[in-house]
């Protein structure tokens, strides 16, 4: 991209990189006010990729099944709970804010006709996890589906992080997943009951990412935990899969990762499908992976990101911004070159 900018001058190219500096200036020129509520801009090609959000599996797929979802009161967790509940599951949703959980449980069960149980839980605290699982077992029994979805995250230069900031994120994401999985897993093994576990990580669990270092470290750990148990606990009837979502506009994520709303346009420019993902798209994939249609799926890690990861990884992918005329010039230069 640098070479192309030198050849054609930066002004004539509307590249993400050329936009980045003025964008950052705008971002910090607006003080501390939260500027959000930008439109969900879409690239033209997004018209080819409409998001179908309604539950895609057959009604009753989760009849007589119990699903436990951490962070089920908001965002993706709420969406997955809605889809599983629509398909017949009795859901248990767990997080710190009981009022939010109660409101979500009421909203979903009134639409689906199936019970949703709100249970307060701090996944950072093993005693709280034990109390939550005790309550679930008492109310509805052991689960058939366990979704480790609860998380904490915020953008910050790593040199600004305290030890407690690192601990807040890694305790929630990695230790929280471990406490939930160990507690429920041991009880399932003792009861000789099978179950499908799903962990929600992110596309940067593979690559790491600056400015979200604790989250990247913890999510990579969650993936190692899942993959280890695929091998070890398959013999007990337990299977484990991973979804790595790209950007989905939830309040929890975007208020902490794009606090001014200024990065959204840049993000969409690097997503080949031309739009953000939706909660319903994640929920359908989650429902499939946790259903008996996926009985033979264990150890899968599925990116659902509109192609963003591949776009960011490819050395030359920014050349998609080069115009036909610019290609004519470059091709002529390349063809004139003889020898080394
Ligand atoms: C270009 C980017 C565009 C956007 C891209 C979008 C998508 C791409 C992929 C996305 C992946 C998303 C992954 C996610 O996980 S999103 C989920 C987000 N949801 C949540 O985080 C919900 C839960 N979060 C919280 O409860 C809080 O945010 C929390 C994590 C800070 C925990 O809260 P709490 O327990 O109350 O902790 P505190 O006491 O407030 O803080 C603990 C510790 O951290 C320090 N700290 C807090 N905020 C910051 C900050 N912004 N910067 C630096 N440090 C911070 C705080 O000071 C405490 O440390 P002390 O040393 O002071 O005690
Ligand atoms: N939205 C996105 O673009 C992406 C999201 N993800 C992942 O998707 C998942 C859901 O994120 P999203 O819906 O966007 O964001 P939310 O903030 O809405 O979801 C996070 C949930 O975790 C719960 N939670 C946080 N801390 C704890 C805790 N200590 N104990 C129990 N529950 C806790 C929160 O509830 P409460 O505050 O009540 O505790 C909240 O419901 C996360 O794993 C996130 O990493 C991954 C990639 C992209």
């Amino acid at each position: 991209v640098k070479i192309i900018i030198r050849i054609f001058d930066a002004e004539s190219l509307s590249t993400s990189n050329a936009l980045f500096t003025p964008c950052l200036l705008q971002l910090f020129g607006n003080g501390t006010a939260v500027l959000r509520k930008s439109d969900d801009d879409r690239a033209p090609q997004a018209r080819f990729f409409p998001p179908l959000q309604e539950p895609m599996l057959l009604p009753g797929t989760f009849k007589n099944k119990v699903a436990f979802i951490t962070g089920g009161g908001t965002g993706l967790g709420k969406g997955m709970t809605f889809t599983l509940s629509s398909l017949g599951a009795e859901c248990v949703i767990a997080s710190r804010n009981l009022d939010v959980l109660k409101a979500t449980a009421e909203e979903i069960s009134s639409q689906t006709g199936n019970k949703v149980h709100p249970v307060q839980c701090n996944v950072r605290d093993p005693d709280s996890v034990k109390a939550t699982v005790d309550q679930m077992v008492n109310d509805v029994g052991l689960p058939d589906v366990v979704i480790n979805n609860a998380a904490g995250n915020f953008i910050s230069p790593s040199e600004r992080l305290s030890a407690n900031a690192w601990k807040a994120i890694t305790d929630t994401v990695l230790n929280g997943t471990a406490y939930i999985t160990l507690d429920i897993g041991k009880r399932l093994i003792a009861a000789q009951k099978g179950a499908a576990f799903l962990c929600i990580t992110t596309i940067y669990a593979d690559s790491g990412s600056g400015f979200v270092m604790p989250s990247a470290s913890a999510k990579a750990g969650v993936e190692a935990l899942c993959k280890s148990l695929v091998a070890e606990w398959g013999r007990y009837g337990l299977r484990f899969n991973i979804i790595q979502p790209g950007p989905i506009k939830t309040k929890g994520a975007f208020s902490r990762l794009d606090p001014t709303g200024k990065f959204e346009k840049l993000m969409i420019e690097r997503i080949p499908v031309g739009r953000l993902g939706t909660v319903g798209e994640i929920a359908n994939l989650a429902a499939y992976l946790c259903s008996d249609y996926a009985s033979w799926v264990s150890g899968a890690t599925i990116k659902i990101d509109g192609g963003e990861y591949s776009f960011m990884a490819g050395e030359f992918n920014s050349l998609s911004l080069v115009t036909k005329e610019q290609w004519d010039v470059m091709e002529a230069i390349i063809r004139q070159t003889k020898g080394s």
Side-chain angles (χ1 to χ4, degrees):
V1 170
K2 270 188 199 151
I3 294 166
I4 297 163
I5 290 175
R6 253 188 266 137
I7 296 173
F8 295 110
D9 99 39
E11 296 274 293
S12 66
L13 280 178
S14 171
T15 67
S16 298
N17 288 4
L19 282 170
F20 201 68
T21 307
C23 185
L24 274 181
L25 287 176
Q26 275 171 32
L27 177 70
F28 296 114
N30 285 292
T32 55
V34 175
L35 307 173
R36 306 225 57 255
K37 283 280 165 260
S38 62
D39 293 339
D40 182 3
D41 295 320
R42 286 160 184 246
Q45 74 271 24
R47 71 188 187 282
F48 296 115
F49 308 108
L52 294 184
Q53 304 223 68
E54 65 272 16
M56 69 179 184
L57 293 178
L58 293 174
T61 295
F62 288 92
K63 193 160 185 286
N64 299 323
K65 305 258 188 198
V66 171
F68 177 75
I69 303 111
T70 64
T74 64
L76 303 190
K78 181 177 177 180
M80 291 187 283
T81 303
F82 173 76
T83 295
L84 293 171
S85 179
S86 306
L87 296 169
E90 187 160 356
C91 294
V92 178
I93 53 177
S95 75
R96 296 165 301 176
N97 191 327
L98 189 57
D99 290 340
V100 169
L101 292 173
K102 281 180 177 166
T104 295
E106 176 58 34
E107 183 187 336
I108 293 178
S109 60
S110 69
Q111 289 178 52
T112 65
N114 292 313
K115 280 189 189 156
V116 179
H117 305 265
V119 185
Q120 193 165 37
C121 180
N122 181 354
V123 297
R124 294 189 217 173
D125 172 4
D127 292 335
S128 171
V129 167
K130 180 178 178 309
T132 300
V133 181
D134 283 346
Q135 190 176 329
M136 170 170 61
V137 171
N138 187 50
D139 293 351
V140 292
L142 282 167
D144 303 277
V145 170
V146 178
I147 304 185
N148 278 299
N149 165 76
N153 199 4
F154 53 78
I155 47 167
S156 176
S158 298
E159 65 274 22
R160 296 169 72 118
L161 295 175
S162 65
N164 200 34
W166 161 268
K167 196 164 156 28
I169 304 303
T170 56
D171 269 357
T172 308
V173 176
L174 178 54
N175 291 343
T177 300
Y179 299 150
I180 294 282
T181 306
L182 288 171
D183 192 310
I184 298 178
K186 286 177 194 173
R187 299 188 204 215
L188 288 165
I189 291 167
Q192 298 189 30
K193 179 177 165 58
F197 284 75
L198 177 67
C199 287
I200 309 300
T201 64
T202 94
I203 52 173
Y204 59 71
D206 284 342
S207 56
S209 175
F211 306 98
V212 284
M213 181 271 281
S215 167
S217 309
K219 292 288 193 184
V222 166
E223 295 199 353
L225 179 155
C226 281
K227 287 183 267 190
S228 304
L229 293 179
V230 168
E232 197 182 337
W233 281 2
R235 62 191 157 154
Y236 299 125
L238 306 177
R239 56 188 186 86
F240 294 82
N241 292 296
I242 296 165
I243 293 181
Q244 298 177 326
I248 319 282
K249 198 167 180 177
T250 65
K251 183 180 168 203
F254 273 51
S255 60
R256 294 175 174 94
L257 303 177
D258 186 15
T260 64
K262 293 291 179 187
F263 289 127
E264 191 173 324
K265 189 167 181 296
L266 290 174
M267 234 183 315
I268 291 170
E269 283 177 7
R270 67 187 188 213
I271 298 177
V273 161
R275 63 168 173 85
L276 301 177
T278 65
V279 173
E281 288 173 298
I282 303 296
N284 266 325
L285 178 57
Y288 165 68
L289 288 172
C290 294
S291 76
D292 289 346
Y293 293 104
S295 284
W296 211 49
V297 183
S298 191
T301 303
I302 302 185
K303 279 191 174 58
I304 171 165
D305 69 344
E308 186 187 23
Y309 191 84
S310 297
F311 183 87
M312 290 194 293
E315 183 80 20
F316 288 97
N317 287 340
S318 300
L319 294 183
S320 55
L321 297 161
V322 175
T323 64
K324 183 180 173 305
E325 293 70 32
Q326 290 165 346
W327 273 117
D328 291 343
V329 174
M330 288 204 292
E331 184 177 333
I333 296 170
I334 294 165
R335 283 180 182 278
Q336 275 169 20
T337 307
K338 303 288 175 215
S340 313

